[in-house]
Structures are given as C-alpha cells and as structure tokens.
Amino acid sequence: MAKIQRWFTQHGNPILVVAGTLTVIGWLMQHLADQGLIANGAYGIATLVAGLPIIFKAISALRARVMSIELLVSIAVVGAVAILEFEEAAMVTFLFAFGNFLEQRTLQKTHQAIQNLTEMQPTTATMVVDGQYQEVEIDEVDEGAVLVVRVGDQVPVDGEIISGSAEVDEALITGESKLVDKTTGDQAYMGSIVENGQILVQAQKVGEDTTFGKIIELVEEAQDNQAPMSKFIDRFAKYYTPFVLVVAILILLFTKNLRLAITILVLACPGALVIGAPVSNVAGIGRGAKAGILIKGGDVIDQLAQVDTILFDKTGTVTEGRPTVKSIKEYQEDHWLALAADLEKQTNHPLARSIVEYYEKRGQKTTADFNLPITTIKGIGIQSEYQGQTIWIGSRRVLTENQIELTAQQSHDLQAIENDGQSVVLMTVDQKLVLMVGLVDQVRKGVKETFEKLKQSGIDKQWMLTGDNSVIAEKIAKTIGINQVKAQMLPEEKALFLEQLQNDGRHVLFVGDGINDSPSIAKANVGIAMGNGTDVAIETSDVVLIDSDFSNIQNARRVAKATMRNTMQNVGIAIGTVALLLIGVAYGWVNMASGMLFHEISILVVIFNAMRLLRMKF
C-alpha cells in the first residue's frame, strides 16, 4: 500500500495531466461531437486515473481508523459510476486531484523561506593543511580546523578570526545590509560573505550547530508546529466525515434519491476548512522568517496574539549589550585588574567581556593565564580562590553577600559612578574592595518608539526587570519611556514576579538575551530572545530576533495577530462555501460537478488569502 501511494505521489503531475486531458476529450465528444460512447470511455479512464490515488489514500486512512475527506469523495465517485454519471465522476476526481495539486504547490511556496535559506548554505570550504590550501566538502570540516576565506567566499563555519582582516556582509545572519569590519579576535558567522580582504577562521561551530544552521532548523520546526486552531480543525474533520456519511445515508433512505445523496457527499467535503489554518500558519511564520523573526510554531502565534504584558531585561535587551569601560578605580597597587580580566574572560556576560577588552587595549596586553577555576553565582557574579585569598567579582550584591563596608572615599566613588548612569563591577579580595569599574551601554535604536506602539496595540503593562541598581535602572527607564521598574533582581526573583502576573490572569511576554534570563523566557507565555544572546536563551525562547532589532518585537506581534485574523477569515470562507453549496443543492441550483468546481475555487480563495501574509509590510 505504501509503495503504491509513493508511486502515485511521485507521478502526481502526469496523472493530473492525463486525467484532465481525458476529461476535456470526453466533454468535447459528448457536447460537440455527439459521440456518447467515446465520451463515456474517456470519462471512465479519467475517473480511474485520477480516482485510484484518492481511493488508495482513503483505504490507507481507514486502516489507521481515520475517516478522511478522500473517503467521502471515493464513495461519491463509486456512486456516480453506479448510476452511470460518468461525466460527474470524471469531473469530481479531476477537480479533487487538481485541488490537492494547488494545495501542495502553495505549501511549497510558503516554505520558500526555508528553501532559500538552505540554498544559501556554503557547500565547500578551503582548509589550511600543513600550510597548503585544500578545498573540501563542508561536511569534512571539524571543530578546530583552520579555514581561509577570500574575497567573494562565504564563511563556512562559526569561528574566531585568527589572522587577517576583511569587510564582511552579514545580511544573511543579522539582516543588516551594511558591511562589517572584521579583524583578528572577532567572530565570523557561517553564511556571511567576505566582500574585501582575506581572513583565517578557526572553526568553533560547524553544520547544524552554527547560528545559520540553527536559523534553518528553527524555521523548519516552526512550520511543522500546528496552531490550536489547526489542531481543532483536525479533530473537527475526524468527526465531521462520519457525520456527513450518516446524513447522506439518511437522505438516501428518506428520499430514495441516490444522486442527491452522492452530491451531498461531494459538496460537504471541508477541503478549504482543512487547509485554511495550516496555510495561514505557514505563511505567517514564513513572513516572520523573511524579516529575521523566527516564530517557533502555531502555538506561539496564538499566544503572542493574546499577550497583554511585557517584561524585559536591560543589558543586551534594551541596551546594545556592548558596554565600554568609562571609569576605573584601583584601591591597591597590585595586579588585581590583570587577575580580574583573566577571571572575567571565562564568562560570557557583556560586562565581563568589556573588562577583558579594556585591559587588553589599555596596554596592548593579553590577559595572563592564572589557571584559576571560577564559580558563577547567578545574579551576583563570580567567585574564585587566589593564593589562599577569596576573590569576588560582580555587582553591588558582592558587598552585601560578604558584609563588606566601604571607606568614605569608596562610597563617594560608587555613588558618583552610579549617579552618572554607569553599571558597576566590583572586585573584592578577602572582604576588601580593591577594584571598581564603571561601564556604559547604549540604548538600542527604536526602543522608545517600540514600547509606545506596543502600548497602543494593547500591551499596557510594561516592566523592566534588571539585576542592576535602581539609580541606573531608573535612568534607562526614563530614557525609553517606561515608569515600571524592578531593580537588583536575581533570576529567580524575575521568574517569580512573572509567575505572579500570570496568576493574576495576565498573558506575559518576556524579552531577554542572557543565560540568567532563561528561566523567565521559558516560564513566560511567550519568551523572546535577542539573536545576539546566549545559546541557552535562544533554545528556550519561543521567538528569536536574529538581527536583535528591538522594533521586531512589535512586528512579531503584528505577524501573530494578522495570522490569527487570516485563519479566522479562511475558516469563515470554508464554512460559508459549504453552507451555500448545500443550500444550492436543496433548491436545485447546484449539481455535483458545478458544486465541486465552486468547492475547488473556495480552496483557491483560501490559499490566495493566506498568501497575502507573505506580502505583509512593516
């Protein structure tokens, strides 16, 4: 059975052409040449050619204990042949097959986002082996391999540039069309193109583990994930088919009109209803992917459309996540800054990276290798041991955690740095403050405007949750137009506050970027991760903003609401068409063939309506 169905699927287009040609020949012979015998022969062969795939699909569904739409059509076609209505049988089978053809073509088109991405993947790489360049298949590249990328080449892996410099087009990854200057120590991403220069890249992630690979994987998974409306329609169709069969049997028993019963079977097929929700869902997700918004499935679209509250992190979310050191206070003449830079390079926090970069640029030094293990304390910082001394590096909480009292000068310095809106990193050694670093981060473009648009669209509760101190938090909040702030929060406190809002009946959207945000991203009704965030945040989120464009939060919600509206429109079109056709049958205005034609037209209308989402403007 499976082999037969595969054969029918592989030869679907020739089958459709043969059935269509024979049906046209039959119509011409019957209505123009008055050759009834030849016409019926052509109709019969056409019915057999187009009908067998439908019948085998119906049998396969029955073996799985499912009464499919194909079962309704199969019974109707057999009945039409039994009462010698060969024209009707041929028309119905051809139109049903043609409808399936259109459906598959449309779904392929709405999956174009995936196909385009897949085709853009590099297939080969130039590896450096013993000083020689060797072109290899991309599957042969392992982590640690060194690759040369020249002008016009695509970067085949995610990795670190170990030599050279270049202007790189990262539009495929970030959506930004402008060229990015890359040099030694910078990250290069698979799929980006070297426009000028040459670089050596050491592979850190290959294949599906790369950023580009994850983009493709996420879009594929999302388009296979059904929305609640799609699941409901699937359940509806499961019970609808036997219901229609019972109605047709009752009509036959009471009216003795076999033709009417068969017509009811054909016209009651909910084809447009079954395809309406999935095609809207796939088109909406495809439109989002085209704009760098990866929505992980229909469930997310449904939840995103209902959101009325937004919570968001500060660093790396409303700010760029690329802070720079503005001020530094050293309270002991020792190598504490070098030690701090060495410990901080073991973490991926934006503030930590900035301290390492500051140290290395200040004296063209590289961090020393103290080989000290660290312990990460969420929401506070890191802790280590050095020559019998306990080292802490982190936020203000380091002071309260270790009951450290500051000198008058240190308190004055801390107050001045915080009043200037700088984030503070403190280093203590055996309960003494030895280092104070102040960092500044730029607010992302369009953040204030996005919050205003979200408020206008119904998200009236907007909270900034941050582990930073209240002075800095309030200053950032004022800049972006937010008046609800909770500062100095630990990750578990953020998640607890989110849960309290949900218990109050709020549908919560959480936006973050770091590993500390993962609990809240996972717990929220919808979690959004910035594309420059950690792998953990991206994997636990429901929506990923690949280019980290904050305005895409509003665009993601617009896509979700438009997709839900489109789905409801399609459901209305489908139900309305079936209702009108049945009324037409009752009054004798519609026969089996003309009804099937209108039925297929309704499927086309539903498809074209869904495809409008692909042209949605932001």
Side-chain angles (χ1 to χ4, degrees), residues 110-111 113-114 218-225 281-283 285-286 297:
T110 53
H111 277 90
I114 298 175
L218 288 174
V219 177
E220 287 176 334
E221 289 176 355
Q223 294 198 327
D224 289 335
N225 181 287
N281 184 45
V282 171
I285 291 170

Side-chain angles (χ1 to χ4, degrees), residues 339-364:
L339 179 61
D342 181 73
L343 295 174
E344 292 282 47
K345 76 179 180 182
Q346 299 181 54
T347 78
N348 59 5
H349 195 282
L351 298 182
R353 291 197 299 267
S354 299
I355 291 172
V356 174
E357 289 173 6
Y358 171 80
Y359 174 78
E360 292 181 341
K361 289 178 181 177
R362 190 172 77 161
Q364 284 75 48

Side-chain angles (χ1 to χ4, degrees), residues 218-504:
L218 288 174
V219 177
E220 287 176 334
E221 289 176 355
Q223 294 198 327
D224 289 335
N225 181 287
Q226 285 188 315
M229 178 60 75
S230 298
K231 294 174 184 175
F232 167 77
I233 290 171
D234 282 349
R235 291 195 300 271
F236 172 80
K238 180 180 177 182
Y239 297 104
Y240 180 78
T241 300
F243 171 76
V244 171
L245 279 172
V246 171
V247 169
I249 292 169
L250 290 174
I251 288 174
L252 177 61
L253 291 174
F254 283 101
T255 66
K256 310 298 181 184
N257 189 336
L258 181 58
R259 182 185 179 86
L260 177 61
I262 293 171
T263 303
I264 292 295
L265 286 179
V266 172
L267 302 189
C269 292
L273 183 64
V274 172
I275 190 180
V279 77
S280 294
N281 184 45
V282 171
I285 291 170
R287 178 62 187 96
K290 190 177 177 182
I293 305 166
L294 300 189
I295 303 173
K296 299 183 184 179
D299 282 334
V300 178
I301 285 178
D302 182 67
Q303 288 291 330
L304 189 53
Q306 298 180 53
V307 162
D308 56 20
T309 302
I310 181 171
L311 309 181
F312 54 94
D313 180 46
K314 178 179 72 68
T315 305
T317 302
V318 296
T319 64
E320 294 282 357
R322 294 193 294 271
T324 55
V325 174
K326 184 176 181 181
S327 55
I328 188 162
K329 303 289 183 181
E330 297 178 79
Y331 298 105
Q332 289 186 13
E333 294 183 4
D334 212 327
H335 56 282
W336 298 123
L337 180 59
L339 179 61
D342 181 73
L343 295 174
E344 292 282 47
K345 76 179 180 182
Q346 299 181 54
T347 78
N348 59 5
H349 195 282
L351 298 182
R353 291 197 299 267
S354 299
I355 291 172
V356 174
E357 289 173 6
Y358 171 80
Y359 174 78
E360 292 181 341
K361 289 178 181 177
R362 190 172 77 161
Q364 284 75 48
K365 305 173 184 178
T366 57
T367 54
D369 195 355
F370 291 90
N371 290 319
L372 298 177
I374 65 169
T375 301
T376 300
I377 314 297
K378 282 189 177 182
I380 299 176
I382 59 174
Q383 187 265 332
S384 187
E385 297 291 328
Y386 173 66
Q387 295 182 352
Q389 299 170 299
T390 301
I391 311 293
W392 281 80
I393 305 175
S395 66
R396 237 181 189 271
R397 286 180 180 268
V398 167
L399 303 178
T400 54
E401 189 75 16
N402 294 280
Q403 299 178 337
I404 297 173
E405 293 187 8
L406 303 182
T407 65
Q409 183 60 50
Q410 289 170 342
S411 296
H412 177 269
D413 291 342
L414 182 58
Q415 192 70 38
I417 288 174
E418 290 182 338
N419 287 342
D420 189 44
Q422 301 176 44
S423 296
V424 179
V425 174
L426 305 175
M427 180 179 186
T428 66
V429 178
D430 280 349
Q431 295 189 304
K432 290 184 180 178
L433 181 66
V434 298
L435 185 68
M436 184 185 301
V437 182
L439 304 99
V440 291
D441 197 359
Q442 297 297 314
V443 173
R444 293 183 188 274
K445 292 180 180 178
V447 170
K448 186 173 182 178
E449 293 80 1
T450 298
F451 279 124
E452 184 58 37
K453 289 176 181 176
L454 287 170
K455 187 178 292 184
Q456 292 171 3
S457 71
I459 304 182
D460 55 344
K461 297 291 184 182
Q462 301 177 347
W463 292 83
M464 183 167 77
L465 312 182
T466 177
D468 220 331
N469 72 77
S470 57
V471 176
I472 297 169
E474 292 288 351
K475 188 168 184 177
I476 295 291
K478 187 176 181 181
T479 302
I480 62 178
I482 297 295
N483 55 19
Q484 298 181 105
V485 180
K486 283 188 173 290
Q488 294 179 283
M489 296 190 79
L490 293 170
E492 55 266 30
E493 291 172 337
K494 293 181 183 180
L496 182 61
F497 178 66
L498 186 154
E499 193 172 354
Q500 289 171 349
L501 290 173
Q502 288 176 322
N503 291 337
D504 291 337

Side-chain angles (χ1 to χ4, degrees), residues 75-190:
I75 295 172
V77 169
V78 171
V81 171
I83 61 174
L84 306 180
E85 291 289 351
F86 298 111
E87 181 182 4
E88 302 275 14
M91 289 286 187
V92 167
T93 51
F94 169 71
L95 287 170
F96 190 83
F98 186 59
N100 282 337
F101 167 77
L102 291 174
E103 181 180 331
Q104 292 306 314
R105 285 295 300 271
T106 305
L107 289 175
Q108 286 173 11
K109 183 159 186 174
T110 53
H111 277 90
Q112 197 67 45
I114 298 175
Q115 294 170 5
N116 289 344
L117 287 172
T118 305
E119 289 167 4
M120 291 176 184
Q121 289 184 96
T123 56
T124 61
T126 305
M127 192 153 54
V128 181
V129 182
D130 298 328
Q132 302 294 315
Y133 292 164
Q134 180 179 335
E135 188 164 323
V136 297
E137 294 294 320
I138 193 69
D139 294 337
E140 298 177 34
V141 178
D142 297 320
E143 291 180 23
V146 176
L147 310 167
V148 62
V149 190
R150 294 163 288 203
V151 175
D153 289 347
Q154 277 187 300
V155 178
V157 296
D158 282 4
E160 182 181 355
I161 298 174
I162 58 175
S163 177
S165 60
E167 290 182 318
V168 179
D169 179 0
E170 295 184 336
L172 195 60
I173 305 298
T174 65
E176 291 287 339
S177 57
K178 62 183 180 182
L179 298 181
V180 181
D181 291 324
K182 296 280 185 175
T183 188
T184 304
D186 290 339
Q187 287 290 309
Y189 299 101
M190 177 184 181

